[in-house]
């Protein structure tokens, strides 16, 4: 534009100094290329990207799936080892062994010893076609009735004054049935060849705690 004094006005706006220019900060942290919505510092304060929480749970489940079966295997191994030791002890015995017969032997010879029995002892002898197990224990009259019922008999079938176990089998384990002041009752159970035959003698000298003697013979 022309002023009255003949000079032209500068049509350009006045030059702004850098201090007058708006401040822009280009130092914002870089973006994570795998997660555009997040940012993390670089060298000097670098940290790994954020891991989703569900990965921790997956890892925990995997550990549990591995650890739990392993624990059961260890427990089963210890139980199997204990059972094996019982069988070895019974096989190596040459006379009565005090303690409960192994569960498998009780099933094979059909001699379910009452849980509350005392003075329990047994001996097992194996042959090619015939195996025999001797068992003795003390129990209560009620448990005796239950035991006889479990083997398919009852107290009423016990014959007074009779000893069902032969001298041959009695001497094998040191049993004596010739005590003059003792009172005996006995029964025999003969079964098909696939099941054992039982000879049971009960010493009723002390009625509250009868003593039971059993010889079970299984033929194969």
């Amino acid at each position: 534009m022309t002023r009255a004094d003949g000079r032209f006005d500068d049509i350009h706006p006045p030059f702004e100094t850098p201090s007058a220019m708006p401040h822009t900060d280009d130092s914002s942290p870089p973006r994570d290329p795998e997660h555009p919505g997040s940012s993390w510092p670089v060298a000097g304060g670098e940290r790994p990207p954020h891991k989703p929480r569900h990965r921790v749970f997956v890892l925990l489940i995997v550990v549990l799936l591995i650890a739990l079966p392993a624990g059961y295997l260890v427990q089963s191994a210890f139980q199997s080892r204990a059972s094996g030791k019982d069988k070895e002890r019974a096989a190596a015995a040459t006379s009565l062994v005090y303690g409960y017969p192994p569960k498998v032997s009780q099933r094979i010879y059909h001699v379910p010893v009452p849980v509350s029995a005392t003075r329990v002892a047994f001996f097992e002898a194996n042959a090619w076609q015939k195996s025999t197990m001797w068992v003795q224990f003390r129990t209560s009259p009620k448990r005796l009735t239950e035991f006889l019922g479990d083997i398919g008999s009852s107290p009423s079938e016990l014959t007074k004054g009779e000893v069902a176990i032969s001298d041959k089998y009695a001497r094998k384990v040191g049993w004596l049935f010739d005590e003059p002041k003792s009172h005996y009752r006995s029964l025999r159970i003969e079964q098909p060849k696939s099941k054992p035959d039982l000879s049971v003698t009960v010493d009723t000298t002390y009625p509250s705690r009868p003593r039971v003697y059993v010889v079970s013979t299984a033929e194969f």
Side-chain angles (χ1 to χ4, degrees):
M1 294 180 63
T2 305
R3 300 196 324 186
D5 57 2
R7 290 186 297 181
F8 295 94
D9 288 333
D10 190 352
I11 61 175
H12 298 286
F15 178 78
E16 295 181 352
T17 62
S19 59
M21 297 178 64
H23 175 73
T24 58
D25 186 3
D26 294 332
S27 62
S28 60
R31 301 291 179 179
D32 183 352
E34 295 184 1
H35 304 278
S38 65
S39 62
W40 44 278
V42 292
E46 185 176 356
R47 65 178 181 181
H50 173 69
K51 292 183 178 180
R53 185 176 299 176
H54 72 274
R55 294 184 183 178
V56 177
F57 293 128
V58 171
L59 180 60
L60 178 60
I61 292 173
V62 171
V63 171
L64 290 176
L65 290 176
I66 295 174
L68 290 179
Y72 285 119
L73 288 175
V74 172
Q75 182 180 6
S76 299
F78 277 112
Q79 292 176 347
S80 177
R81 181 180 179 184
S83 177
K85 287 184 176 180
D86 289 340
K87 293 178 182 178
E88 290 177 1
R89 181 185 63 174
T94 57
S95 62
L96 286 172
V97 176
Y98 280 89
Y100 278 78
K103 291 292 185 181
V104 63
S105 296
Q106 294 187 47
R107 289 194 296 268
I108 292 174
Y109 292 99
H110 199 198
V111 185
V113 181
V115 176
S116 60
T118 59
R119 303 290 294 175
V120 181
F122 72 98
F123 173 70
E124 184 177 353
N126 299 308
W128 178 251
Q129 292 183 333
K130 183 173 70 174
S131 294
T132 305
M133 186 169 76
W134 292 253
V135 182
Q136 69 177 42
F137 59 88
R138 283 190 180 276
T139 188
S140 65
K142 178 182 177 181
R143 296 297 185 184
L144 173 60
T145 301
E146 293 175 353
F147 168 74
L148 294 174
D150 289 339
I151 63 175
S153 186
S154 66
S156 63
E157 296 185 23
L158 291 168
T159 302
K160 184 178 180 180
E162 181 180 340
V163 175
I165 300 171
S166 68
D167 291 340
K168 175 184 176 181
Y169 282 107
R171 287 195 304 268
K172 180 71 175 179
V173 294
W175 289 343
L176 299 175
F177 298 110
D178 56 0
E179 296 292 335
K181 295 183 179 181
S182 297
H183 304 285
Y184 299 106
R185 296 174 181 268
S186 298
L187 61 84
R188 291 183 177 88
I189 299 178
E190 295 183 355
Q191 304 185 101
K193 191 173 182 179
S194 59
K195 296 181 179 180
D197 295 333
L198 301 176
S199 297
V200 181
T201 294
V202 181
D203 184 350
T204 59
T205 305
Y206 299 96
S208 61
R209 294 296 291 178
R211 190 163 188 170
V212 183
Y213 303 87
V214 184
V215 174
S216 176
T217 303
E219 296 185 4
F220 305 100

